[in-house]
Amino acid sequence: MTRKFTEDRILIATHNAGKLEEMAQLFAPRGIAVVGAAEMDLSEPDETETTFVGNARIKAHAAVKATGLPALSDDSGIEVEALDNAPGVYTADWAETPNGRDFLMAMTKTHNLLEAKKAPHPRRARFCATLVLAWPDGHDEVFVGTVNGTLVWPIRGALGHGYDPMFQPDGHEITFAEMDADSKNAISHRADAFAKLMKGCFD
């Protein structure tokens, strides 16, 4: 049995404004107030694990320890089949620059690596999201979501964030970055994990 969530306030352990907005929209219908890590002035813990669940656990428990609030963290990324599932947990690292994250650079790097390998089309990939909900007593629950698709080049669309302009989900003719928020939230890896979280801890 998964533990039920009974509080009216939850800390989202992310400094990513796009993710926070996505989560706030998903929680809104349930009347649960969402507070972000930046708002609470939390520092970002070092993500030293080599798995999504390992890094999500680090973030959730660090946030709980710092605030005393139950915290939800997400570790997500894109796995490209022809690159042996890279960048995976290092998705954000591929975008790091001295001036913040540059996902156009990361997507270009991914495309160039695929070209260098002469990777055949369609170039399969999947987005993965792992959610960890942690309580002040140290208990946590883990939920994993995925969405499969293909990579496109040149990139398309100006909505979304991260690798969204390069990713066309299966069954659709447009990329995540060409979809409005509602359409993307209905099928995304985060929505998949979120639905499992809701079923497990909130319903």
Side-chain angles (χ1 to χ4, degrees):
M1 273 293 289
T2 53
R3 181 186 288 188
K4 296 297 176 188
F5 187 88
T6 54
E7 291 80 354
D8 58 2
R9 196 159 169 245
I10 191 166
L11 172 67
I12 308 297
T14 183
H15 287 75
N16 179 319
K19 273 187 194 177
L20 185 63
E21 179 60 28
E22 217 171 289
M23 291 285 192
Q25 287 172 359
L26 292 166
F27 271 113
R30 296 178 176 267
I32 294 167
V34 164
V35 54
E39 215 178 306
M40 300 293 282
D41 211 22
L42 297 185
S43 57
E44 295 195 61
D46 290 332
E47 295 176 30
T48 51
E49 294 288 328
T50 56
T51 62
F52 292 122
V53 65
N55 285 328
R57 275 204 162 106
I58 287 174
K59 289 187 275 196
H61 288 285
V64 170
K65 199 174 271 185
T67 64
L69 288 171
L72 179 67
S73 72
D74 148 282
D75 200 51
S76 52
I78 191 164
E79 296 181 336
V80 181
E81 208 172 90
L83 300 180
D84 301 322
N85 290 338
V89 291
Y90 306 108
T91 298
D93 296 344
W94 281 28
E96 286 298 348
T97 76
N99 307 312
R101 289 175 182 166
D102 178 352
F103 276 99
L104 177 58
M105 177 186 81
M107 289 185 283
T108 303
K109 174 180 175 174
T110 304
H111 174 68
N112 290 343
L113 286 169
L114 288 166
E115 288 293 291
K117 282 190 83 162
K118 296 188 168 58
H121 292 274
R123 291 170 170 173
R124 303 290 298 160
R126 69 175 190 163
F127 268 122
C128 306
T130 298
L131 296 177
V132 171
L133 176 58
W135 280 264
D137 66 357
H139 182 81
D140 67 33
E141 299 283 354
V142 178
F143 303 92
V144 177
T146 56
V147 59
N148 294 299
T150 52
L151 298 182
V152 302
W153 198 264
I155 59 173
R156 304 198 310 259
L159 306 171
H161 49 90
Y163 272 78
D164 287 357
M166 195 180 186
F167 184 82
Q168 184 173 307
D170 287 349
H172 296 266
E173 297 299 312
I174 58 176
T175 68
F176 266 174
E178 293 174 298
M179 290 183 180
D180 60 56
D182 287 346
S183 303
K184 180 190 163 185
N185 286 344
I187 61 165
S188 76
H189 48 308
R190 200 163 290 116
D192 182 28
F194 199 83
K196 292 169 183 171
L197 164 76
M198 286 294 138
K199 194 172 173 207
C201 296
F202 291 83
D203 292 337

